[in-house]
Amino acid sequence: MNAHTTAAVVHSPGALLRDPDALAALLTDYHLSTEAEKGSPVADVTRLPARYLAEIQDPRTAFADDTVFLAVDDGVPAGCLVVTAPDAGTAEIKRVWTDPVRRGRGIASVLLRAATAHCADSGVATVRLSVWSWRTPAIALYERSGFRVTGSWDPREDLVCMEYPPAVRGHQGVLGGVRGSSCQGAG
């Protein structure tokens, strides 16, 4: 992290999302970048897989049962994160994205802290996420934040599945500075 962030994080149920256009813009960048990283670049957003296009076109519906977090830095939407509705005491963090020009300011860390605090306050026992194996800076961030590599729950190749163990969370329900395990061989 190069500079300390002053980003504010707001969250709301997806169905009540205050700024769907801001989320749609961030998700567009996220999905286009992800497809390019997978080796399947698309020329424009309309060529994204249907489920990703649906998130961009109508994020309120796509994330209706989830909680959406937006980071705003100097009045500009700078990052996003989605926490799925809890299922059997587990919630999943998805769509973690920081605008590339605003990276290195701690925005993703602020989003993660807000999301895990929300999960703790909601009684979620386990928070999990998956990340593409080539996104090594993101994996390092998650590990520094206390997430641990775990067995895969997703059949897609090249995904590293991680969990935020309840024992690490402590009484405050926020990410601490506990180092996670190595990702070697995960995926």
Side-chain angles (χ1 to χ4, degrees):
M1 184 166 34
N2 296 330
H4 182 68
T5 186
T6 57
V9 175
V10 295
H11 71 279
S12 64
L16 303 175
L17 186 61
R18 295 177 207 154
D19 194 350
D21 292 337
L23 179 61
L26 290 164
L27 289 172
T28 297
D29 289 346
Y30 170 86
H31 287 304
L32 289 174
S33 179
T34 300
E35 292 303 301
E37 290 170 5
K38 288 189 226 177
S40 306
V42 293
D44 64 71
V45 71
T46 62
R47 299 193 184 264
L48 286 170
R51 70 184 184 141
Y52 301 147
L53 185 57
E55 292 177 6
I56 293 165
Q57 290 177 332
D58 188 3
R60 285 184 176 139
T61 298
F63 301 115
D65 297 328
D66 305 326
T67 302
V68 176
F69 293 76
L70 287 175
V72 179
D73 186 36
D74 292 330
V76 177
C80 63
L81 179 153
V82 175
V83 175
T84 63
D87 182 20
T90 299
E92 187 170 353
I93 291 176
K94 304 176 77 142
R95 308 301 182 253
V96 180
W97 184 253
T98 301
D99 179 353
V101 301
R102 295 184 181 282
R103 290 188 181 156
R105 297 182 184 182
I107 292 168
S109 295
V110 170
L111 284 164
L112 284 167
R113 283 193 299 272
T116 56
H118 166 77
C119 289
D121 292 345
S122 301
V124 172
T126 302
V127 182
R128 67 185 194 175
L129 60 81
S130 60
V131 57
W132 294 107
S133 62
W134 58 81
R135 288 189 169 155
T136 55
I139 292 169
L141 168 67
Y142 300 144
E143 286 186 315
R144 282 192 311 272
S145 299
F147 282 84
R148 307 272 195 273
V149 174
T150 188
S152 181
W153 59 81
D154 191 309
R156 292 177 290 175
E157 287 187 39
D158 294 324
L159 276 180
V160 176
C161 293
M162 303 178 88
E163 287 187 351
Y164 188 64
V168 174
R169 192 175 302 124
H171 73 282
Q172 296 175 337
V174 297
L175 291 170
V178 178
R179 294 274 317 159
S181 60
S182 171
C183 293
Q184 298 302 321

